[in-house]
Amino acid sequence: MPAQGGRWGRFLEQRARQLQRQVQAKEERIVELETENAVLHLRLAQYQGMTGKGDSTATRLCSQCRERDPPQRSTAPATPQLRCQVQNLKQDMKALRASSLEVFRTCREHLQDGLSAAVEAVQRAQLCHEALLAWQSKAGHLERSLQEVSARYELEKQKRKMLHNCLVELNGNIRVHCRIRPLLPFDKEFDDPASQDSSVPAGVVHAVDDETVLVKCDRPAHPLINKTYNFERVYGPAESQQVVFGDVCPLLTSLLDGYNVCILAYGQTGCGKSYTMLGPRSKEARVPPWGPHRDLGILPRAARELFRLISENPSKSLKVDVSIVEVYNNEILDLLAKERRTAVSGPKHDVRTSKAAKREVSPPTRQPVHSAEDFIALAAGSLPLRARLATQVHACSSRSHLIITATLTAASPCGSPADQQSPGPPLEGRPAWGRASPGSPGAQRPAEQVHAKLQLVDLAGSECVGVSGVTGSALRETLFINRSLAALADVLGALSERRGHIPYRNSQLTHFLQDVLGGDAKLLVILCVSPCRTHVAETLRCLGFGAQVRQVQRRPSWRGQCGPPKTQVKQEPRSGCLC
């Protein structure tokens, strides 16, 4: 609206200048007409003078003729000629007088027309001036209304931000969703006649409703399993990627509001974690298809939604930097570094702890991206470097935890209050403005302020060694994967019990994710489970892990007390144990 008020003001000023130019042109025309009139008066006076001279000459000639003696015979022939000349002079005088009167009448008409045009122009100019004053008054009123509306808009935007955050917190700052993948051709139950019957639910894991999972399994020589688990959202095998992403969009709004967001996929190998986060794999290029596709994962959809939200609010001038690392065998490897240590990983980045117990991370490479296409292309170029291996459970099993971090930064004026904030743990419920420590993966560059961070985590799958059949170096990878997942479960268990010490340093994975696990970040854990009877043990461990994560948000905040209550939360089986 300020631009509209400015356009009206410029239009009125241009119209006033145009009218002034017209009035000035009319005045110049009047001056020209007055000059022509004066010239005509002078010519009329000259003609009148010439006529007077002719009259006086004729009179003088007549008087001279009367004074002379009676005409002689010698002068008689000259008298007719003189009379003809006199008649001609009189006719010329009449013609000159008639032409002079015509010129005078024409000049008077032109002068009257010019004067009337000038009066009309002056009247129009006065009307336009009055209209200009009225429009200026209206423009001022509109500008004041615009200022009031802008103030109300800012107030409503703050209220919307608070209400949206309250809504997200009502759903839980830490939320757990469960996704049941369908039976696939490589599953043993796929060819079971019971699975072909549409009236009989396939598999042993079922979505009772949008919030309840039922595990019902009756195996020979094993006790009957009939357990239900409740989560914030449960996706059945038939639900699409778009439905899953629909529950992620509110978190991206919180990201633009300044809150850190982490989306973490957890589950057994071959349960659809990478499919949920990245989308289906391409057989030719061995990377997920990033073009328009109904099966696109959370990463490409989140990239497009993020830049769409940024484009809708250009006043913040946010920039996006991306870093991609993998935690492989308890080592952090930078997948964007130019120098590659091996064919499948980048340089090692250590997580160290100083004497002051502050976390120090050698910052990975951060590359700026200016569009969703740049973001997706950068991720697609790094995924082939991720460690993978074929096992008996999955033909392309991820052997590392993939962490993609998008850091939103904004220009920070020197000496701003945000730059002078004292370090310390973030306060609950406050946005993540400038909270990244200088050594963290989201450390800001000079004259920039970290607005928020989005972390997309595709965890390696937990494995049972007896089922996967790995040996040698693959067995060592499995041990590190299971240990890191067990460390993640220990951290979340300590958080749910409000312990005084949280064992973040037991694993590089938990140490790297300490900000989102222990801070006020919005954490979404997506449990990916298999419906197969063969994997029911790992499925129960995965669902138990999700139930433990839910207790972190459902425990009361024991503010004003010296410590947590003495009652302990019942421990669920830890994920990642070896069978």
Side-chain angles (χ1 to χ4, degrees):
M1 292 182 68
Q4 186 175 2
R7 289 196 298 269
W8 276 110
R10 289 193 296 271
F11 171 75
L12 295 174
E13 291 178 359
Q14 293 175 359
R15 183 59 181 168
R17 287 196 294 268
Q18 183 179 2
L19 292 173
Q20 289 177 357
R21 288 193 295 269
Q22 292 179 358
V23 172
Q24 186 176 359
K26 293 295 183 179
E27 292 178 352
E28 292 176 355
R29 179 59 180 166
I30 291 171
V31 171
E32 293 177 358
L33 292 175
E34 290 178 349
T35 304
E36 293 178 359
N37 192 15
V39 171
L40 291 174
H41 277 291
L42 290 175
R43 292 176 61 185
L44 180 61
Q46 291 177 357
Y47 291 151
Q48 288 177 350
M50 292 172 61
T51 304
K53 289 181 180 180
D55 290 341
S56 61
T57 302
T59 304
R60 187 174 63 254
L61 290 175
C62 290
S63 61
Q64 288 178 359
C65 290
R66 284 193 297 268
E67 289 176 358
R68 287 182 180 180
D69 294 332
Q72 299 177 0
R73 292 179 180 179
S74 59
T75 59
T79 300
Q81 295 179 356
L82 183 60
R83 289 180 178 177
C84 290
Q85 291 178 358
V86 171
Q87 292 296 329
N88 292 333
L89 289 174
K90 287 182 178 181
Q91 291 176 359
D92 292 339
M93 184 182 67
K94 289 180 181 180
L96 180 60
R97 182 175 295 175
S99 62
S100 299
L101 291 175
E102 183 66 25
V103 170
F104 180 74
R105 185 168 55 254
T106 303
C107 291
R108 184 193 294 181
E109 291 176 356
H110 283 301
L111 180 60
Q112 289 178 352
D113 293 340
L115 290 176
S116 60
V119 170
E120 292 178 359
V122 171
Q123 291 176 352
R124 286 197 301 269
Q126 291 177 351
L127 294 175
C128 291
H129 180 67
E130 293 176 357
L132 177 62
L133 293 178
W135 281 112
Q136 286 178 345
S137 175
K138 188 174 182 179
H141 178 70
L142 291 175
E143 288 180 357
R144 290 190 295 271
S145 300
L146 177 61
Q147 292 175 356
E148 294 175 359
V149 171
S150 299
R152 289 171 57 192
Y153 169 74
E154 293 297 329
L155 181 61
E156 293 298 327
K157 188 166 69 171
Q158 293 295 328
K159 290 181 179 179
R160 183 212 60 81
K161 180 178 177 180
M162 294 174 60
L163 290 174
H164 176 78
N165 186 54
C166 290
L167 177 62
V168 172
E169 289 181 348
L170 286 174
N171 291 329
N173 274 344
I174 300 179
R175 280 177 278 175
V176 182
H177 295 182
C178 179
R179 188 177 195 187
I180 306 171
R181 74 161 173 83
L183 287 173
L184 299 176
F186 57 80
D187 293 324
K188 295 180 180 179
E189 291 87 344
F190 185 78
D191 296 327
D192 189 356
S195 64
Q196 306 298 328
D197 187 0
S198 58
S199 62
V200 179
V204 298
V205 184
H206 314 287
V208 179
D209 53 36
D210 289 345
E211 297 181 353
T212 308
V213 175
L214 171 64
V215 182
K216 189 173 183 179
C217 180
D218 186 8
R219 296 180 297 174
H222 289 82
L224 175 66
I225 299 175
N226 191 0
K227 290 187 176 182
T228 59
Y229 296 86
N230 293 321
F231 301 106
E232 280 75 17
R233 184 71 166 86
V234 175
Y235 307 103
E239 300 205 53
S240 65
Q241 297 275 66
Q242 180 62 36
V243 174
V244 176
F245 181 73
D247 294 322
V248 175
C249 280
L251 296 178
L252 298 179
T253 303
S254 296
L255 178 72
L256 268 293
D257 288 340
Y259 290 89
N260 291 334
V261 174
C262 179
I263 303 170
L264 184 145
Y266 181 96
Q268 184 193 7
T269 297
C271 289
K273 300 183 301 300
S274 297
Y275 175 81
T276 299
M277 297 299 295
L278 307 175
R281 295 182 59 79
S282 173
K283 295 181 180 179
E284 294 79 10
R286 294 184 59 81
V287 295
W290 302 108
H293 199 282
R294 65 184 183 89
D295 290 333
L296 286 178
I298 290 177
L299 170 62
R301 294 176 188 268
R304 291 172 182 173
E305 180 68 13
L306 173 61
F307 279 95
R308 187 189 69 82
L309 293 174
I310 292 176
S311 64
E312 288 181 353
N313 190 5
S315 60
K316 290 185 177 180
S317 300
L318 296 177
K319 299 179 181 178
V320 182
D321 296 334
V322 175
S323 63
I324 304 176
V325 301
E326 66 173 354
V327 181
Y328 175 73
N329 287 352
N330 207 34
E331 294 180 358
I332 299 177
L333 306 178
D334 187 354
L335 299 184
L336 294 183
K338 294 182 180 179
E339 63 279 3
R340 304 293 182 187
R341 193 182 66 172
T342 64
V344 296
S345 61
K348 175 181 176 181
H349 287 260
D350 294 328
V351 180
R352 302 181 299 275
T353 304
S354 64
K355 294 182 180 179
K358 291 184 178 179
R359 178 167 169 261
E360 297 179 359
V361 181
S362 177
T365 304
R366 271 176 37 181
Q367 292 192 11
V369 292
H370 306 288
S371 65
E373 288 72 20
D374 294 345
F375 193 159
I376 294 171
L378 189 63
S382 301
L383 288 179
L385 303 175
R386 188 180 182 187
R388 298 182 183 275
L389 179 70
T391 67
Q392 295 180 6
V393 178
H394 194 263
C396 190
S397 175
S398 300
R399 314 306 293 171
S400 65
H401 308 297
L402 179 68
I403 304 174
I404 300 177
T405 304
T407 305
L408 275 64
T409 58
S412 176
C414 297
S416 64
D419 296 335
Q420 302 173 2
Q421 290 180 353
S422 60
L427 298 178
E428 184 177 356
R430 288 181 56 185
W433 288 89
R435 282 206 301 267
S437 60
S440 67
Q444 62 267 36
R445 293 186 288 268
E448 287 185 351
Q449 181 182 16
V450 172
H451 179 73
K453 290 191 298 181
L454 170 65
Q455 287 187 314
L456 304 174
V457 184
D458 181 16
L459 294 176
S462 59
E463 290 185 2
C464 180
V465 175
V467 177
S468 63
V470 293
T471 58
S473 61
L475 176 60
R476 183 170 180 267
E477 293 172 348
T478 300
L479 293 175
F480 277 112
I481 291 172
N482 290 337
R483 286 175 186 172
S484 61
L485 295 177
L488 178 61
D490 290 339
V491 167
L492 294 171
L495 289 172
S496 67
E497 297 174 7
R498 301 284 178 172
R499 298 178 194 168
H501 171 69
I502 310 297
Y504 292 111
R505 287 174 286 174
N506 288 355
S507 170
Q508 295 280 43
L509 173 66
T510 54
H511 212 175
F512 194 87
L513 297 177
Q514 179 176 349
D515 290 341
V516 296
L517 294 176
D520 65 339
K522 314 296 182 184
L523 175 61
L524 172 61
V525 178
I526 302 179
L527 305 176
C528 298
V529 297
S530 169
C532 299
R533 187 187 308 271
T534 308
H535 308 307
V536 67
E538 283 295 327
T539 297
L540 291 174
R541 293 189 184 95
C542 180
L543 296 175
F545 172 83
Q548 188 179 30
V549 174
R550 291 193 75 203
Q551 293 179 8
V552 176
Q553 70 186 39
R554 294 188 181 277
R555 296 281 296 179
S557 58
W558 299 94
R559 296 176 181 174
Q561 298 185 11
C562 298
K566 295 182 179 179
T567 57
Q568 300 294 327
V569 177
K570 181 180 178 180
Q571 293 288 330
E572 298 286 346
R574 295 199 313 179
S575 173
C577 67
L578 301 179
C579 298

